[in-house]
């Protein structure tokens, strides 16, 4: 029987627990989000993050800057947030306008406020096996789903399709640290299907609707769909869910799988950074 990995329910359990903990604090954690430009998807993501933060009981601040902002102007905001003792987490919504150097912007965030785990300090600590202040939210969310459903990754062959800095790459490190044997495929990989067919766990993060179909899946494989594409039929993952679900032992839906977990991990990271800053952990 196929088990649907319910990221929405797990995310709601995590945020309810956070809400209870936060209600007992006199000083609330505060998340600052910087949004640059008018990208409609980014505007929705930021709005949702802000609503979720406030529902949990965090304080939150959205700084909306125009598309033609200069690097200096954005950096100035980050430096102010870095110094502000009331701000615990800083997030710069990606993607950035083309004229902005992403590395320069993300690296300016104080690592102890780097709620996305994208600074080289936190990313480097992850790669070296040291504890970072924060782990990237989406891969952390995938790992949490696997843990919640007692899916053991040790000794398993895991294929990750997609090698981005925000999903595939950090996830490959996290899985190796749990003793999985990880293959990372990308746009230049030949014959992904054959590799997928030999894999116990297939995780796709490429943004190509229904790319992973039944030819990719061996019986009882575990399938995690990170992809989100907006199509005529609505939000769609990388996985042809309807046609492969009966082949799998576990599978995430889209929507309702990894997406809600990403936001839940962002909230968890905000609270953890708050605790680091107050020397509570
Ligand atoms: P990205 O930075 O554009 O990276 C895409 C990756 O997919 C690249 O490594 C690329 O290979 C690879 N790729 C593209 N086409 C491929 C193909 N036909 N075969 C094999 N590999 C292919 O994307 P991203 O930011 O990681 O996001 C990936 C997807 O996840 C998107 O749909 C995004 O919306 C979604 N996402 C979801 C969440 C969530 O919370 N659920 C969070 C983040 C992202 P190359 O490296 O060779 O170019």
């Amino acid at each position: 029987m196929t088990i649907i990995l319910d990221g929405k329910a797990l995310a709601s359990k995590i945020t309810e627990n956070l809400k209870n903990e936060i209600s007992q604090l006199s000083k609330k954690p505060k998340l600052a989000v910087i949004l640059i430009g008018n990208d409609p998807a980014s505007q929705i993501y930021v709005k949702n993050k802000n609503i979720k933060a406030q529902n949990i009981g965090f304080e939150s601040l959205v700084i909306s800057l125009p598309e033609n902002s200069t690097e200096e102007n954005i950096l100035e905001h980050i430096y102010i947030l870095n110094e502000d003792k009331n701000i615990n987490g800083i997030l710069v919504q990606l993607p950035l306008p083309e004229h902005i150097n992403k590395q320069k912007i993300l690296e300016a965030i104080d690592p102890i406020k780097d709620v996305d785990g994208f600074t080289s300090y936190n990313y480097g600590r992850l790669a070296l096996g040291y504890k970072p202040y924060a782990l990237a939210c989406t891969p952390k969310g995938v790992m949490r789903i696997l843990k919640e459903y007692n899916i053991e990754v040790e000794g398993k062959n895991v294929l990750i399709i997609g090698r981005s800095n925000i999903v595939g790459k950090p996830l490959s490190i996290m899985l190796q640290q749990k003793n999985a044997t990880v293959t990372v495929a990308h746009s230049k990989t030949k014959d992904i299907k054959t590799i997928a067919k030999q894999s116990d766990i297939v995780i796709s993060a490429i943004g190509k609707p229904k790319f992973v179909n039944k030819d990719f899946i061996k019986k009882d494989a575990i399938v995690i769909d990170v992809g989100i594409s907006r199509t005529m039929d609505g939000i769609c993952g990388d996985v042809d869910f309807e046609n492969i679900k009966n082949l799998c032992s576990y599978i995430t839906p889209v929507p309702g799988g990894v997406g809600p977990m990403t936001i839940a991990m962002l909230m968890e990271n905000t609270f953890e950074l708050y605790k680091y800053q107050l020397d509570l952990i």
Side-chain angles (χ1 to χ4, degrees):
M1 200 190 69
T2 307
I3 295 177
I4 309 294
L5 298 166
D6 190 344
K8 193 172 169 200
L10 175 56
S12 138
K13 186 167 102 179
I14 292 166
T15 49
E16 274 311 306
N17 287 342
L18 279 172
K19 206 169 175 175
N20 286 337
E21 286 192 76
I22 303 307
S23 68
Q24 287 155 36
L25 301 172
S26 49
K27 184 184 180 304
K28 310 294 183 194
K30 186 165 182 177
L31 173 66
V33 180
I34 301 180
L35 171 66
I36 303 136
N38 310 313
D39 178 54
S42 294
Q43 285 175 334
I44 294 171
Y45 289 141
V46 168
K47 189 173 147 219
N48 290 344
K49 287 169 187 173
N50 196 32
I51 291 172
K52 180 63 77 182
Q54 290 180 355
N55 283 345
I56 288 176
F58 292 167
E59 289 184 28
S60 64
L61 166 71
V62 176
I63 300 175
S64 294
L65 302 175
E67 181 81 23
N68 62 358
S69 300
T70 62
E71 277 172 14
E72 289 66 33
N73 184 237
I74 301 166
L75 289 172
E76 198 54 46
H77 282 281
I78 293 176
Y79 297 146
I80 292 169
L81 295 171
N82 280 345
E83 290 304 315
D84 186 341
K85 296 243 171 323
N86 291 315
I87 299 290
N88 305 107
I90 304 170
L91 179 156
V92 178
Q93 183 65 40
L94 300 176
L96 297 176
E98 275 188 15
H99 66 282
I100 302 294
N101 180 329
K102 183 169 80 176
Q103 182 184 341
K104 217 168 165 182
I105 300 300
L106 295 181
E107 284 295 85
I109 298 172
D110 185 335
I112 205 167
K113 296 190 177 186
D114 169 25
V115 75
D116 262 335
F118 291 161
T119 57
S120 52
Y121 179 88
N122 285 318
Y123 213 99
R125 287 184 73 87
L126 166 68
L128 290 166
Y130 310 151
K131 198 171 179 341
Y133 289 121
L135 289 167
C137 301
T138 303
K140 185 183 182 189
V142 170
M143 296 303 290
R144 186 65 63 81
I145 292 176
L146 295 171
K147 185 166 182 234
E148 174 74 11
Y149 283 85
N150 295 315
I151 297 172
E152 183 54 73
V153 299
E154 180 163 316
K156 297 252 168 70
N157 290 325
V158 182
L159 170 65
I160 302 173
I161 314 175
R163 57 174 165 182
S164 73
N165 283 343
I166 66 168
V167 188
K169 209 178 287 175
L171 185 55
S172 70
I173 300 168
M174 292 176 199
L175 284 161
Q176 283 179 70
Q177 285 169 352
K178 295 288 177 197
N179 300 318
T181 302
V182 184
T183 303
V184 180
H186 46 78
S187 66
K188 307 290 182 290
T189 303
K190 294 194 172 66
D191 199 7
I192 297 181
K193 257 181 219 175
T194 303
I195 307 169
K197 197 100 195 170
Q198 291 160 359
S199 303
D200 305 305
I201 304 179
V202 176
I203 304 174
S204 186
I206 61 175
K208 301 263 184 291
K210 300 190 181 175
F211 180 87
V212 176
N213 58 43
K214 61 181 174 29
D215 298 335
F216 283 62
I217 301 303
K218 77 170 179 184
K219 196 172 170 325
D220 291 336
I222 295 158
V223 176
I224 309 282
D225 190 352
V226 179
I228 299 177
S229 302
R230 277 157 225 284
T231 68
M232 304 281 276
D233 304 328
I235 299 284
C236 187
D238 290 348
V239 171
D240 185 0
F241 182 86
E242 282 309 321
N243 288 313
I244 67 168
K245 67 171 194 275
N246 293 333
L247 286 173
C248 306
S249 53
Y250 296 87
I251 184 167
T252 57
V254 174
V258 177
M261 286 302 293
T262 297
I263 293 208
M265 294 299 98
L266 176 67
M267 300 303 139
E268 185 176 273
N269 282 357
T270 305
F271 188 34
E272 281 178 8
L273 294 181
Y274 166 97
K275 289 190 273 189
Y276 275 119
Q277 287 156 37
L278 295 180
D279 280 332
L280 302 173
I281 42 176

